[in-house]
PDB file of all heavy atoms in Angstrom:
ATOM      1  N   TRP A 204      -0.736 -16.418   0.507  1.00  0.00           N
ATOM      2  CA  TRP A 204      -0.069 -17.684   0.780  1.00  0.00           C
ATOM      3  C   TRP A 204       0.284 -18.353  -0.540  1.00  0.00           C
ATOM      4  O   TRP A 204      -0.395 -18.164  -1.548  1.00  0.00           O
ATOM      5  CB  TRP A 204      -0.984 -18.589   1.594  1.00  0.00           C
ATOM      6  CG  TRP A 204      -1.339 -18.015   2.921  1.00  0.00           C
ATOM      7  CD1 TRP A 204      -2.519 -17.416   3.258  1.00  0.00           C
ATOM      8  CD2 TRP A 204      -0.515 -17.946   4.078  1.00  0.00           C
ATOM      9  NE1 TRP A 204      -2.484 -16.998   4.552  1.00  0.00           N
ATOM     10  CE2 TRP A 204      -1.264 -17.310   5.091  1.00  0.00           C
ATOM     11  CE3 TRP A 204       0.778 -18.362   4.380  1.00  0.00           C
ATOM     12  CZ2 TRP A 204      -0.768 -17.090   6.365  1.00  0.00           C
ATOM     13  CZ3 TRP A 204       1.267 -18.142   5.643  1.00  0.00           C
ATOM     14  CH2 TRP A 204       0.508 -17.512   6.617  1.00  0.00           C
ATOM     15  N   PRO A 205       1.342 -19.175  -0.559  1.00  0.00           N
ATOM     16  CA  PRO A 205       1.712 -19.849  -1.807  1.00  0.00           C
ATOM     17  C   PRO A 205       0.596 -20.727  -2.359  1.00  0.00           C
ATOM     18  O   PRO A 205       0.500 -20.941  -3.551  1.00  0.00           O
ATOM     19  CB  PRO A 205       2.926 -20.695  -1.420  1.00  0.00           C
ATOM     20  CG  PRO A 205       3.464 -20.068  -0.189  1.00  0.00           C
ATOM     21  CD  PRO A 205       2.304 -19.435   0.499  1.00  0.00           C
ATOM     22  N   TRP A 206      -0.278 -21.242  -1.512  1.00  0.00           N
ATOM     23  CA  TRP A 206      -1.333 -22.134  -1.963  1.00  0.00           C
ATOM     24  C   TRP A 206      -2.641 -21.397  -2.242  1.00  0.00           C
ATOM     25  O   TRP A 206      -3.644 -22.012  -2.583  1.00  0.00           O
ATOM     26  CB  TRP A 206      -1.576 -23.235  -0.930  1.00  0.00           C
ATOM     27  CG  TRP A 206      -1.844 -22.696   0.438  1.00  0.00           C
ATOM     28  CD1 TRP A 206      -3.040 -22.278   0.935  1.00  0.00           C
ATOM     29  CD2 TRP A 206      -0.890 -22.488   1.470  1.00  0.00           C
ATOM     30  NE1 TRP A 206      -2.899 -21.821   2.207  1.00  0.00           N
ATOM     31  CE2 TRP A 206      -1.571 -21.953   2.581  1.00  0.00           C
ATOM     32  CE3 TRP A 206       0.480 -22.706   1.592  1.00  0.00           C
ATOM     33  CZ2 TRP A 206      -0.949 -21.619   3.767  1.00  0.00           C
ATOM     34  CZ3 TRP A 206       1.096 -22.382   2.783  1.00  0.00           C
ATOM     35  CH2 TRP A 206       0.392 -21.850   3.850  1.00  0.00           C
ATOM     36  N   SER A 207      -2.647 -20.065  -2.109  1.00  0.00           N
ATOM     37  CA  SER A 207      -3.853 -19.293  -2.384  1.00  0.00           C
ATOM     38  C   SER A 207      -4.138 -19.263  -3.874  1.00  0.00           C
ATOM     39  O   SER A 207      -3.232 -19.265  -4.698  1.00  0.00           O
ATOM     40  CB  SER A 207      -3.701 -17.853  -1.880  1.00  0.00           C
ATOM     41  OG  SER A 207      -3.556 -17.822  -0.495  1.00  0.00           O
ATOM     42  N   LYS A 208      -5.420 -19.195  -4.195  1.00  0.00           N
ATOM     43  CA  LYS A 208      -5.810 -19.084  -5.595  1.00  0.00           C
ATOM     44  C   LYS A 208      -5.477 -17.681  -6.090  1.00  0.00           C
ATOM     45  O   LYS A 208      -5.574 -16.723  -5.339  1.00  0.00           O
ATOM     46  CB  LYS A 208      -7.300 -19.337  -5.750  1.00  0.00           C
ATOM     47  CG  LYS A 208      -7.677 -20.765  -5.442  1.00  0.00           C
ATOM     48  CD  LYS A 208      -9.161 -20.958  -5.637  1.00  0.00           C
ATOM     49  CE  LYS A 208      -9.535 -22.387  -5.311  1.00  0.00           C
ATOM     50  NZ  LYS A 208     -10.978 -22.605  -5.448  1.00  0.00           N
ATOM     51  N   PRO A 209      -5.106 -17.520  -7.352  1.00  0.00           N
ATOM     52  CA  PRO A 209      -4.815 -16.182  -7.872  1.00  0.00           C
ATOM     53  C   PRO A 209      -6.084 -15.339  -7.908  1.00  0.00           C
ATOM     54  O   PRO A 209      -7.195 -15.850  -7.992  1.00  0.00           O
ATOM     55  CB  PRO A 209      -4.279 -16.443  -9.281  1.00  0.00           C
ATOM     56  CG  PRO A 209      -4.747 -17.801  -9.631  1.00  0.00           C
ATOM     57  CD  PRO A 209      -4.916 -18.560  -8.346  1.00  0.00           C
ATOM     58  N   ASP A 210      -5.900 -14.020  -7.826  1.00  0.00           N
ATOM     59  CA  ASP A 210      -7.031 -13.101  -7.868  1.00  0.00           C
ATOM     60  C   ASP A 210      -7.669 -13.147  -9.245  1.00  0.00           C
ATOM     61  O   ASP A 210      -6.990 -13.176 -10.267  1.00  0.00           O
ATOM     62  CB  ASP A 210      -6.582 -11.670  -7.574  1.00  0.00           C
ATOM     63  CG  ASP A 210      -6.113 -11.513  -6.145  1.00  0.00           C
ATOM     64  OD1 ASP A 210      -6.569 -12.295  -5.293  1.00  0.00           O
ATOM     65  OD2 ASP A 210      -5.300 -10.615  -5.896  1.00  0.00           O
ATOM     66  N   ARG A 211      -8.998 -13.156  -9.266  1.00  0.00           N
ATOM     67  CA  ARG A 211      -9.732 -13.129 -10.518  1.00  0.00           C
ATOM     68  C   ARG A 211     -10.645 -11.929 -10.513  1.00  0.00           C
ATOM     69  O   ARG A 211     -11.141 -11.533  -9.468  1.00  0.00           O
ATOM     70  CB  ARG A 211     -10.592 -14.389 -10.662  1.00  0.00           C
ATOM     71  CG  ARG A 211      -9.796 -15.635 -10.848  1.00  0.00           C
ATOM     72  CD  ARG A 211     -10.677 -16.831 -11.056  1.00  0.00           C
ATOM     73  NE  ARG A 211     -12.077 -16.482 -11.232  1.00  0.00           N
ATOM     74  CZ  ARG A 211     -13.038 -17.375 -11.382  1.00  0.00           C
ATOM     75  NH1 ARG A 211     -12.779 -18.630 -11.354  1.00  0.00           N
ATOM     76  NH2 ARG A 211     -14.282 -16.988 -11.539  1.00  0.00           N
ATOM     77  N   PRO A 212     -10.902 -11.360 -11.679  1.00  0.00           N
ATOM     78  CA  PRO A 212     -11.866 -10.259 -11.710  1.00  0.00           C
ATOM     79  C   PRO A 212     -13.244 -10.787 -11.316  1.00  0.00           C
ATOM     80  O   PRO A 212     -13.541 -11.962 -11.492  1.00  0.00           O
ATOM     81  CB  PRO A 212     -11.830  -9.781 -13.160  1.00  0.00           C
ATOM     82  CG  PRO A 212     -11.225 -10.884 -13.935  1.00  0.00           C
ATOM     83  CD  PRO A 212     -10.360 -11.667 -12.979  1.00  0.00           C
ATOM     84  N   ASN A 213     -14.084  -9.923 -10.782  1.00  0.00           N
ATOM     85  CA  ASN A 213     -15.421 -10.336 -10.363  1.00  0.00           C
ATOM     86  C   ASN A 213     -16.265 -10.636 -11.589  1.00  0.00           C
ATOM     87  O   ASN A 213     -16.635  -9.745 -12.336  1.00  0.00           O
ATOM     88  CB  ASN A 213     -16.078  -9.243  -9.516  1.00  0.00           C
ATOM     89  CG  ASN A 213     -15.367  -9.066  -8.206  1.00  0.00           C
ATOM     90  OD1 ASN A 213     -14.708  -9.978  -7.732  1.00  0.00           O
ATOM     91  ND2 ASN A 213     -15.493  -7.895  -7.627  1.00  0.00           N
ATOM     92  N   ASP A 214     -16.555 -11.922 -11.791  1.00  0.00           N
ATOM     93  CA  ASP A 214     -17.415 -12.322 -12.895  1.00  0.00           C
ATOM     94  C   ASP A 214     -18.855 -12.299 -12.413  1.00  0.00           C
ATOM     95  O   ASP A 214     -19.162 -12.773 -11.330  1.00  0.00           O
ATOM     96  CB  ASP A 214     -17.080 -13.744 -13.375  1.00  0.00           C
ATOM     97  CG  ASP A 214     -15.719 -13.808 -14.035  1.00  0.00           C
ATOM     98  OD1 ASP A 214     -15.299 -12.793 -14.607  1.00  0.00           O
ATOM     99  OD2 ASP A 214     -15.081 -14.885 -13.996  1.00  0.00           O
ATOM    100  N   GLY A 215     -19.713 -11.749 -13.229  1.00  0.00           N
ATOM    101  CA  GLY A 215     -21.128 -11.762 -12.887  1.00  0.00           C
ATOM    102  C   GLY A 215     -21.684 -13.157 -13.065  1.00  0.00           C
ATOM    103  O   GLY A 215     -21.014 -14.057 -13.587  1.00  0.00           O
TER     104      GLY A 215
END
Side-chain angles (χ1 to χ4, degrees):
W204 298 102
W206 54 85
S207 296
K208 293 181 181 178
D210 293 334
R211 292 183 9 183
N213 293 336
D214 292 331

